[in-house]
Amino acid sequence: REMRAYTIMLLSSSSSSSSSSPSDSSSSSSSSSSDHDSSTTDQEPASVAAWSAKGSTLTGAVLLQPGWQSQKQQSLRFDQLGLVNREHEQRVLSTIYGAMVKGFIQRNRNKSGDNNSKSKELDYTKAKAAPTTTSPCSFVLISGPSGSGKSALVHDLKTRTIDATPPSEIKAFFASGKCNITQDAKDNEPYSGIRAALMHLCDQLAMGDDDAAAGDESGRSELRRVLRKQISSEEASILSNVIPNLQELLTPTVLEQPLQKQHSNGSLTSNVSAASSALDSTGMRQESRVSTGYREHGDRLNFALRRFLRVITKHTPLVLAVDDLQWADATSLDIIQAWLSDTRIASLMIVGCYRSIQAAASGNEGIATSNVECSPDAAAATETATMLHTKLQEIEASKRQRSIKIVRMQLEDMRVEQINELLLELFSFGVQLSTSSSSSSSDGDSESVGTRQSRNFRDDAGDSVIEAAPTANYDADSVSDLARAIHTKTAGNAYFIQQFLQSLTQQRLLSFDVESKQWAWDANRVASDSTVTSNVIDLMLTKLKQLNAAKILPVAACIGSTFSFANVNTLIRGLSIHSSHSQFCNATLFNKQTSGIISTSDIKNMIRRCEKEGLIERNRNATKRSAGTKGNVHYSFAHDKVQEAAHALLPPDQLSELKYRVGEVLLSSLSPDELDEKLFVVAGLINTRLDLVPDRRHGANRRMKIAMINHKAGLKAVGCSAFSTASTYFKNAINLLPEDHWKQNFRESLDMYNSAAQCESVLGNRPQARKYCNKVVALDCDILDKVKAYHTLIDIARADAATQSGTECIDLCLSLLAKFGCRFPKTALGRSMATIVGILNLKRTTKKFNPDMILQLDVVSDPVDVAVGTTLGKLAMATMIASSDLTPLVCLKTTKQTLKDGVSPHSAPAFQLQGLLLGFFLGDFKGAKRLGDTSLRMLQMTDDRTTCCRTTVHYYTFNFHWTGRHEDALEPLQRAFKVGMETGDVEFAMWAAHTSTAVKLYTGSSLAEIDELMATGTALMKDFRQDTTYALTLCSWQSILNLRGLGQFTTKLIGDAFDEREARVNEDSNLAMLCDMSLESARLFAATYFGEYRFGAEAGIKCTNKETLKVIAGAYTIPLMMSHLALCCYAVCNDDTKKHKHHRKYRGHAQRCHKQLKAWRKKGHQNLLHLLTLLDAEESHSKPSMAEWNYRQSIEEAKSRGVVQDAALGEERYAAFLLKIEDKGRARSHLEQAIRWYDDWGASKKVEMLRGQLSDM
């Protein structure tokens, strides 16, 4: 009995899993299974262990009571050893979480009276958000060496804070994920950690699993209903590239088909049952009514992920935990940055765990290692570590623009004193003999939970019991020598200490003396014994080598951190074919006793043994997703170091060969749907040893098959906006093409070159993109096969058009159109004559034209007509950027083609541009409106929405305002913004945001609301790299800040938003002219309301000259700028008591603008009637009675339309007129009214100035 009780091991073999997500760790440790040797109950404070019949070890999850002598109620899991001395970090995380929940409750209370809150979520331009006192988002970064307890700390937040919240109180959803370990930084699986966390969240929402931490089923049901209502079909479709199980959550309202089969390992794939039908020839999901390029697809996914988080966090707080950020790909870091910078995402707490930058780059986590090959390639690790460091710096910098709460935690390894305290806690548990009885299982492999004071074990004979009880025979000095020895060997790493103590008990260097009831050890032997390794990887290697069952782990490690029994079994069967070519296969796959391939039962037993040894653990979430596959249990490696040690069992050359063989087996054995599910894994494994692929001449079929796998992986990466990763796959695909691929595999080769060219273009690698395109253009084939390459070249040339003349883009378009027989006059005279004739015919046609006639036309379906229409659309954009005289001719050509061949997606923008020609240039506002209405009808005829945003923005920016009211343009522009973001037309979506914000300003919205909208808009413009709209909005924003008193100056645009001293001026390009116009327009606006009329007159003269008006021809800002210019010029002349020479110049500009505004008013312009009346008053100062009547009329008209600032301006100018005629009493009254109106508008600086003027009176 004493020999059987020789050692009770108080160390868990079910160790803490830093490599799995916190939720997975808790799931696997708490799940019951027949394979486990013990069952545990968290409510029991006493130690729980499993008694081995041979008396050598005890396995299972062990609970130890900290501070036994003080009778503490809280028990400590040894598998959470990383939480030792982490009280400060625990408090910080709980405080941040509490602040987030408190902010969520407060925001919901503030919005409780807003009946339109749901509709306002649809677009940021509808928001009237006021600055919040609490930070809407928090970003917690936990760094430290591997095994220091980062994951345990995050898991503690879930179990001790979130799960402990009473059901009656609001608590957050907790979702976690882990970035996959990789051998090459460029092959990181896109969104691996983000995807896993969001899939975990969707599992909770869809199935209400046991890990769901927020609300009851009714709350989850309500959130599902909101998601189905607010996530559009296009957004749901593109999100499914990143969140495969989102389909189940949104079925059947959004997606057409429900999930038929869930993913077994949570890999980044589409639904396996619908994958074939949901993926088109480009590899991206088919979206109804949307057809976009690679860049637009990336912007769509970015916005869709933002929208998804907006909807979630509006209705519940959310904690996203992403582990192993040092392995994250660039796209994951980009979307985290986008989430944090999005002011519409609130109540979000992101917790990111990563290895210390130096440790991740060196691969050794600060502990000397003798086997460097066990970690990923040092160069790749350095690259990922540098990328992470750079991105974190960018996020740190961005917090100045938004109040992001960023908290960094650096976890250090344990000191000798802390190890000393730990040993005292562990050794406070002794063993003594007792005569009491206790029940046990018949086979002795399991036991019941004992009481708090004692722990009973029955021996084989059943006639005596061993009782474990607390002892108090240790002090700090008694264990200090062992603590120092452990610290010397482990450097204080928590995970290493756990594995090291297990090793000591197994080698009998740490044992329990039953007679003395004391633990015994020899510190000198522990410190000097050469068999005790000084490295955690070497320690794990020793353990794996001693365990015969662990020889299958290298195969499992090739799949990833999560694998299933079916995966391993399939691979073992398939690898047997290559056993003669691989030393590993030959040594591993054969059973020496039976002289045959190891059987399925052998593999199952090996996996069970590895689970019992604590090397792997069950992944309940992944197993639940594959519930349709009977008996297919999923596992995760207990820690990164176990997976790395499994790799280190083989030399580097054997390991890389094994990966390649595993990839080949998966490629040949998986069904098409299963291959699509594991596409990144298969491609990554094969790409480790491309030198093993047969040569171009003798292995053409094999090379082509592997090339196509790389191409599909690249397309899937494009679907996730991981363009850098996609570029690597595309390059591999092209390099693998056999010699005669253009003859034997023309279509596949063409797709590869086109895909690679578009990808390189998005990445900005234009020389390489041109190289791929020129290869296709030079082919001797049908012109339709070259269209994609031509269009990519056109897009590349258009990207350079902002800084160059844009002639290359125009020449490419004309060259391609000529190949289809669509030609333009080559001389300037010929173009002018064709334009004049075309416009006259158009004007004559529009008089008889009815928008309903367009419904009788067919939709273009012929490939040639589609190619010509698309090219004409690209040519129209190029000519507009270059201000070419071809623009009207291109629009006329498109109209002619539409009436002849049918409606194409580019017909609507062309009709709208022709409306601009008729309206602004020819003054036919009614004809322009008919063409505009026709363009909107065309949008409803085609399923393609790619030009919807562009057409709407053009219509409401250049056409509608001539006959319609500004207020009526707001809702369509806001819808256009949403559609543009959904379809990837980010450029025009930002123009929609810019225009709608300006229209709200002109129609009387408060400056505080405009300030908030501009802050949100500029953040989006910067995130989506829309430099033009960003620059134009900044100067307007600064004028708003000046009026609000948040700037130091009045008309000088220098402040937090913009600095006019750094603005580009006098550059010879349309973009520079547009920026200069915007700057002068903002100065004019500020000067008009600040009363600095001479400054405003000079600025207005600059921004309304002929060259400037040509750039913004027909824009809604032109009448307003001319109104302000005329007012400033009249005011300068009227306020000066003496006549000056410059009065003639100013009065001439005023009368010119005044006359033009009257002409537009006669043709139907109705938005500036109050300002036109104000100009009449300024002009009629020589007739006081008429002037007073016009002032009063102008004020009443402004008040009736709700244009607060112009009512205030009218009162101010009326007061100035009354002072001029020396009626100070009425002047004071009107000035007081002006102050009230300006105060309502929010112009604090202006109010302050007028109050000073009032006191002087």
Side-chain angles (χ1 to χ4, degrees):
R1 290 195 297 269
E2 291 178 0
M3 289 300 295
R4 286 174 180 155
Y6 178 78
T7 300
I8 294 182
M9 192 170 73
L10 299 175
L11 312 174
S12 167
S13 61
S14 300
S15 58
S16 169
S17 171
S18 300
S19 63
S20 64
S21 65
S23 59
D24 290 344
S25 300
S26 63
S27 302
S28 59
S29 61
S30 62
S31 59
S32 60
S33 171
S34 59
D35 298 331
H36 288 266
D37 290 327
S38 65
S39 60
T40 64
T41 305
D42 289 351
Q43 288 76 11
E44 290 291 342
S47 171
V48 181
W51 172 251
S52 172
K54 298 182 179 179
S56 58
T57 59
L58 291 170
T59 60
V62 179
L63 292 177
L64 298 178
Q65 183 70 17
W68 187 282
Q69 314 304 332
S70 60
Q71 298 295 308
K72 292 183 180 179
Q73 298 298 320
Q74 180 180 342
S75 57
L76 167 71
R77 281 190 183 275
F78 187 71
D79 62 3
Q80 293 183 354
L81 205 153
L83 295 177
V84 175
N85 293 294
R86 303 294 188 205
E87 292 82 3
H88 172 70
E89 288 82 359
Q90 290 172 314
R91 284 196 300 271
V92 170
L93 285 176
S94 298
T95 301
I96 296 172
Y97 170 79
M100 176 187 69
V101 175
K102 183 178 179 181
F104 173 80
I105 296 173
Q106 184 63 39
R107 279 187 292 274
N108 277 271
R109 287 176 179 172
N110 294 339
K111 295 179 181 179
S112 60
D114 189 355
N115 296 327
N116 298 321
S117 59
K118 291 184 179 180
S119 63
K120 289 184 178 181
E121 158 58 22
L122 293 177
D123 200 297
Y124 88 90
T125 53
K126 293 186 180 181
K128 292 187 178 181
T132 56
T133 56
T134 58
S135 175
C137 284
S138 301
F139 189 28
V140 182
L141 291 164
I142 305 177
S143 62
S146 177
S148 58
K150 302 183 294 294
S151 299
L153 190 61
V154 177
H155 176 57
D156 177 73
L157 171 68
K158 176 183 182 296
T159 56
R160 193 168 60 89
T161 303
I162 300 178
D163 291 350
T165 304
S168 59
E169 298 181 9
I170 293 178
K171 55 182 177 181
F173 275 93
F174 179 91
S176 60
K178 168 184 165 56
C179 300
N180 286 342
I181 192 171
T182 180
Q183 290 294 121
D184 188 346
K186 295 181 180 181
D187 287 339
N188 287 5
E189 183 176 340
Y191 292 113
S192 59
I194 298 292
R195 177 214 69 234
L198 295 181
M199 288 182 68
H200 184 203
L201 175 63
C202 289
D203 283 342
Q204 298 178 60
L205 293 174
M207 299 182 288
D209 68 3
D210 298 335
D211 287 337
D216 53 14
E217 176 55 32
S218 61
R220 290 193 294 270
S221 176
E222 173 64 17
L223 191 50
R224 288 196 298 268
R225 186 192 64 79
V226 171
L227 283 169
R228 289 167 182 163
K229 180 179 179 181
Q230 298 198 16
I231 300 298
S232 67
S233 58
E234 287 83 3
E235 289 174 325
S237 183
I238 194 172
L239 281 172
S240 295
N241 287 292
V242 176
I243 320 172
N245 60 343
L246 181 65
Q247 299 188 55
E248 178 181 352
L249 185 63
L250 300 182
T251 301
T253 306
V254 175
L255 298 181
E256 296 179 358
Q257 296 181 355
L259 277 177
Q260 302 296 327
K261 178 180 178 183
Q262 290 290 344
H263 302 283
S264 58
N265 63 352
S267 61
L268 178 57
T269 58
S270 58
N271 177 10
V272 291
S273 65
S276 299
S277 59
L279 295 176
D280 61 11
S281 59
T282 65
M284 291 181 285
R285 293 185 171 275
Q286 296 173 352
E287 290 93 17
S288 61
R289 307 186 301 280
V290 177
S291 176
T292 59
Y294 283 9
R295 188 186 302 277
E296 291 80 3
H297 184 88
D299 290 335
R300 291 177 60 212
L301 178 59
N302 186 326
F303 182 70
L305 286 169
R306 288 170 181 250
R307 283 264 300 141
F308 182 71
L309 260 291
R310 287 178 187 177
V311 176
I312 294 289
T313 58
K314 182 181 178 182
H315 293 83
T316 179
L318 175 63
V319 178
L320 284 182
V322 185
D323 202 359
D324 280 345
L325 274 178
Q326 74 276 359
W327 302 125
D329 61 304
T331 52
S332 296
L333 300 177
D334 288 339
I335 196 58
I336 289 176
Q337 184 179 15
W339 282 340
L340 293 173
S341 64
D342 194 327
T343 56
R344 297 297 307 281
I345 296 177
S347 306
L348 173 64
M349 177 179 177
I350 300 178
V351 184
C353 300
Y354 65 96
R355 299 183 190 177
S356 302
I357 299 297
Q358 297 83 358
S362 62
N364 59 15
E365 324 333 321
I367 304 174
T369 176
S370 60
N371 194 349
V372 180
E373 291 79 14
C374 65
S375 293
D377 180 74
T382 302
E383 182 177 348
T384 55
T386 303
M387 179 179 65
L388 174 62
H389 181 65
T390 302
K391 186 58 65 175
L392 293 181
Q393 286 181 328
E394 292 178 7
I395 295 175
E396 285 275 8
S398 67
K399 74 177 181 180
R400 292 193 294 268
Q401 298 182 359
R402 187 198 178 192
S403 56
I404 306 170
K405 188 177 186 62
I406 298 180
V407 178
R408 289 180 176 269
M409 296 183 183
Q410 175 67 42
L411 303 188
E412 304 293 343
D413 288 325
M414 299 173 68
R415 302 187 301 274
V416 176
E417 298 79 9
Q418 294 170 333
I419 298 176
N420 208 57
E421 295 176 5
L422 173 67
L423 292 177
L424 288 175
E425 292 288 350
L426 294 177
F427 294 164
S428 66
F429 210 178
V431 176
Q432 65 183 24
L433 294 179
S434 172
T435 57
S436 61
S437 62
S438 175
S439 62
S440 69
S441 61
S442 59
D443 58 4
D445 286 340
S446 62
E447 60 185 357
S448 61
V449 179
T451 64
R452 173 170 182 168
Q453 290 76 16
S454 64
R455 181 74 185 123
N456 300 325
F457 302 95
R458 183 181 298 276
D459 69 349
D460 288 345
D463 54 81
S464 64
V465 170
I466 302 171
E467 182 181 87
T471 62
N473 297 327
Y474 300 97
D475 55 28
D477 294 335
S478 63
V479 297
S480 60
D481 54 347
L482 179 59
R484 284 193 295 271
I486 292 174
H487 186 271
T488 300
K489 287 290 186 179
T490 65
N493 185 268
Y495 182 71
F496 195 176
I497 291 174
Q498 178 184 352
Q499 298 297 322
F500 185 71
L501 290 175
Q502 283 185 334
S503 176
L504 292 182
T505 58
Q506 291 170 357
Q507 298 180 54
R508 306 296 174 87
L509 296 178
L510 176 63
S511 59
F512 188 78
D513 188 343
V514 177
E515 292 184 356
S516 63
K517 302 185 183 68
Q518 295 284 336
W519 287 93
W521 63 86
D522 187 340
N524 293 329
R525 285 190 60 194
V526 171
S528 61
D529 196 324
S530 60
T531 61
V532 180
T533 178
S534 60
N535 173 279
V536 66
I537 293 292
D538 291 340
L539 180 63
M540 296 304 303
L541 276 173
T542 302
K543 185 173 183 178
L544 295 183
K545 289 177 181 178
Q546 294 174 351
L547 184 65
N548 182 60
K551 64 184 181 181
I552 65 170
L553 290 183
V555 178
C558 290
I559 304 174
S561 58
T562 301
F563 60 92
S564 67
F565 163 75
N567 295 149
V568 177
N569 188 46
T570 300
L571 289 176
I572 296 296
R573 307 267 75 78
L575 285 172
S576 62
I577 302 174
H578 305 285
S579 59
S580 59
H581 304 291
S582 171
Q583 182 179 353
F584 168 79
C585 295
N586 189 41
T588 303
L589 304 181
F590 284 89
N591 188 320
K592 296 181 179 179
Q593 296 179 352
T594 61
S595 299
I597 301 296
I598 57 177
S599 64
T600 299
S601 59
D602 291 335
I603 296 174
K604 184 174 295 186
N605 291 332
M606 289 179 176
I607 290 178
R608 287 178 175 176
R609 181 62 189 277
C610 291
E611 183 184 6
K612 291 181 180 180
E613 292 293 332
L615 302 174
I616 60 176
E617 55 189 20
R618 298 200 176 197
N619 188 319
R620 189 185 60 177
N621 286 338
T623 302
K624 181 182 290 187
R625 292 191 193 107
S626 62
T629 307
K630 185 177 181 180
N632 190 17
V633 182
H634 286 71
Y635 300 88
S636 296
F637 284 97
H639 196 277
D640 284 345
K641 292 304 178 185
V642 180
Q643 186 178 1
E644 293 179 23
H647 282 151
L649 283 172
L650 301 177
D653 57 338
Q654 289 190 27
L655 177 61
S656 61
E657 182 188 354
L658 173 63
K659 289 184 176 182
Y660 174 79
R661 301 299 180 192
V662 168
E664 278 195 322
V665 172
L666 292 174
L667 179 59
S668 59
S669 61
L670 295 178
S671 66
D673 290 340
E674 292 171 334
L675 182 60
D676 178 71
E677 185 177 340
K678 293 181 171 60
L679 198 54
F680 289 122
V681 175
V682 175
L685 291 171
I686 292 179
N687 290 343
T688 56
R689 288 292 299 274
L690 290 178
D691 58 302
L692 297 178
V693 181
D695 59 37
R696 291 177 179 271
R697 179 171 298 180
H698 300 94
N701 292 336
R702 191 65 181 171
R703 292 182 71 90
M704 195 65 206
K705 187 173 183 179
I706 297 177
M708 292 178 65
I709 288 297
N710 273 278
H711 183 223
K712 289 181 179 179
L715 292 173
K716 186 173 283 294
V718 166
C720 303
S721 302
F723 298 111
S724 296
T725 303
S727 175
T728 303
Y729 286 124
F730 290 144
K731 288 177 182 177
N732 288 337
I734 291 176
N735 292 333
L736 285 166
L737 289 172
E739 287 184 347
D740 58 346
H741 61 92
W742 286 116
K743 293 182 179 179
Q744 302 297 328
N745 307 96
F746 175 79
R747 189 59 53 191
E748 293 83 357
S749 302
L750 186 66
D751 290 342
M752 291 180 192
Y753 273 89
N754 284 329
S755 300
Q758 292 183 64
C759 186
E760 297 298 334
S761 175
V762 171
L763 291 172
N765 189 3
R766 293 170 189 167
Q768 185 63 41
R770 290 178 186 272
K771 182 179 178 181
Y772 289 136
C773 291
N774 291 334
K775 182 75 173 178
V776 175
V777 170
L779 293 175
D780 183 15
C781 60
D782 190 273
I783 185 61
L784 283 175
D785 294 326
K786 302 180 183 181
V787 167
K788 279 190 177 181
Y790 268 109
H791 285 173
T792 303
L793 287 172
I794 291 169
D795 292 338
I796 295 172
R798 182 191 164 195
D800 296 330
T803 56
Q804 301 175 8
S805 63
T807 56
E808 180 190 2
C809 182
I810 295 174
D811 292 342
L812 282 169
C813 291
L814 294 176
S815 174
L816 180 57
L817 288 171
K819 297 180 184 299
F820 288 108
C822 181
R823 292 179 172 83
F824 290 81
K826 295 183 178 181
T827 64
L829 179 60
R831 293 173 180 175
S832 299
M833 294 298 296
T835 301
I836 294 173
V837 173
I839 290 177
L840 292 176
N841 291 333
L842 174 66
K843 192 171 183 179
R844 185 167 53 252
T845 303
T846 52
K847 292 182 179 180
K848 304 176 182 179
F849 191 79
N850 184 350
D852 292 334
M853 293 170 56
I854 204 67
L855 300 177
Q856 302 174 9
L857 299 177
D858 296 328
V859 177
V860 172
S861 58
D862 182 80
V864 174
D865 294 337
V866 171
V868 171
T870 303
T871 308
L872 283 172
K874 293 180 179 293
L875 179 58
M877 293 300 300
T879 55
M880 289 183 63
I881 293 174
S883 296
S884 171
D885 57 359
L886 270 175
T887 303
L889 198 55
V890 173
C891 297
L892 292 169
K893 182 78 74 171
T894 306
T895 303
K896 184 177 180 180
Q897 188 205 23
T898 299
L899 297 176
K900 175 185 176 183
D901 301 324
V903 178
S904 72
H906 297 277
S907 298
F911 269 69
Q912 174 48 46
L913 289 176
Q914 291 183 68
L916 171 62
L917 295 177
L918 283 180
F920 183 71
F921 291 103
L922 301 179
D924 185 2
F925 292 156
K926 293 182 179 179
K929 187 177 185 304
R930 282 194 294 269
L931 286 177
D933 293 340
T934 301
S935 67
L936 297 181
R937 294 283 184 92
M938 289 180 177
L939 295 177
Q940 303 172 7
M941 295 182 61
T942 63
D943 289 335
D944 195 323
R945 297 201 306 164
T946 52
T947 60
C948 179
C949 179
R950 181 191 314 173
T951 305
T952 305
V953 170
H954 277 159
Y955 179 63
Y956 287 98
T957 302
F958 299 107
N959 191 332
F960 175 79
H961 67 94
W962 295 112
T963 55
R965 293 167 59 91
H966 280 322
E967 297 88 335
D968 298 332
L970 285 174
E971 187 175 351
L973 284 170
Q974 290 160 358
R975 286 200 306 267
F977 170 81
K978 184 174 183 293
V979 171
M981 298 304 294
E982 289 178 353
T983 58
D985 193 0
V986 176
E987 179 182 0
F988 281 94
M990 294 308 161
W991 278 114
H994 175 82
T995 303
S996 63
T997 304
V999 170
K1000 287 178 75 70
L1001 173 63
Y1002 300 154
T1003 53
S1005 295
S1006 69
L1007 293 179
E1009 179 185 352
I1010 302 301
D1011 183 8
E1012 185 70 18
L1013 290 174
M1014 286 187 171
T1016 306
T1018 51
L1020 278 174
M1021 293 166 189
K1022 186 175 182 180
D1023 287 347
F1024 286 94
R1025 307 172 301 281
Q1026 298 301 312
D1027 297 334
T1028 302
T1029 48
Y1030 180 70
L1032 299 184
T1033 307
L1034 285 181
C1035 49
S1036 300
W1037 187 14
Q1038 188 58 53
S1039 67
I1040 300 301
L1041 295 177
N1042 288 356
L1043 283 166
R1044 294 192 67 198
L1046 302 178
Q1048 184 179 357
F1049 305 98
T1050 54
T1051 55
K1052 286 185 178 180
L1053 303 182
I1054 301 174
D1056 295 336
F1058 180 74
D1059 189 342
E1060 64 182 21
R1061 296 169 297 184
E1062 300 176 0
R1064 295 187 304 181
V1065 292
N1066 298 326
E1067 291 186 15
D1068 187 17
S1069 70
N1070 289 328
L1071 176 59
M1073 288 182 71
L1074 191 60
C1075 291
D1076 289 345
M1077 183 278 301
S1078 180
L1079 176 60
E1080 297 299 338
S1081 175
R1083 288 170 174 168
L1084 171 61
F1085 179 83
T1088 300
Y1089 292 101
F1090 274 120
E1092 299 184 17
Y1093 300 119
R1094 191 181 301 274
F1095 181 86
E1098 294 297 332
I1101 292 171
K1102 293 178 182 178
C1103 66
T1104 57
N1105 59 61
K1106 291 183 178 181
E1107 293 299 323
T1108 302
L1109 293 181
K1110 182 180 178 181
V1111 175
I1112 59 168
Y1116 64 97
T1117 55
I1118 292 178
L1120 185 70
M1121 289 192 301
M1122 297 184 74
S1123 299
H1124 287 169
L1125 171 59
L1127 179 62
C1128 287
C1129 290
Y1130 276 136
V1132 170
C1133 298
N1134 292 333
D1135 293 350
D1136 285 347
T1137 56
K1138 297 181 180 180
K1139 292 185 178 181
H1140 297 282
K1141 293 181 180 179
H1142 58 259
H1143 283 185
R1144 178 178 297 179
K1145 180 185 73 171
Y1146 289 142
R1147 188 168 293 277
H1149 283 292
Q1151 290 174 347
R1152 175 180 59 85
C1153 294
H1154 196 176
K1155 180 180 180 181
Q1156 183 63 70
L1157 289 170
K1158 287 181 178 179
W1160 286 337
R1161 174 69 185 93
K1162 289 181 180 180
K1163 292 185 178 182
H1165 195 281
Q1166 53 182 318
N1167 289 298
L1168 300 177
L1169 181 60
H1170 59 286
L1171 285 179
L1172 188 58
T1173 311
L1174 181 60
L1175 294 179
D1176 292 338
E1178 293 289 332
E1179 187 182 32
S1180 59
H1181 269 212
S1182 59
K1183 301 176 181 179
S1185 59
M1186 182 180 295
E1188 286 199 51
W1189 184 89
N1190 283 326
Y1191 277 125
R1192 290 193 296 269
Q1193 190 69 19
S1194 173
I1195 293 170
E1196 290 301 321
E1197 289 171 354
K1199 289 166 57 178
S1200 65
R1201 297 198 61 171
V1203 189
V1204 182
Q1205 68 271 25
D1206 289 344
L1209 183 62
E1211 295 280 5
E1212 182 185 3
R1213 292 304 304 158
Y1214 193 10
F1217 170 76
L1218 292 173
L1219 282 175
K1220 184 177 179 180
I1221 62 175
E1222 299 182 352
D1223 189 347
K1224 293 185 178 181
R1226 285 200 297 157
R1228 183 181 182 88
S1229 174
H1230 284 284
L1231 199 59
E1232 289 175 346
Q1233 183 60 45
I1235 291 174
R1236 286 192 286 271
W1237 284 119
Y1238 277 126
D1239 191 43
D1240 289 345
W1241 190 37
S1244 302
K1245 185 78 170 180
K1246 178 66 176 180
V1247 169
E1248 180 183 347
M1249 293 171 61
L1250 289 183
R1251 282 175 178 166
Q1253 182 180 346
L1254 190 64
S1255 64
D1256 293 340
M1257 292 175 59

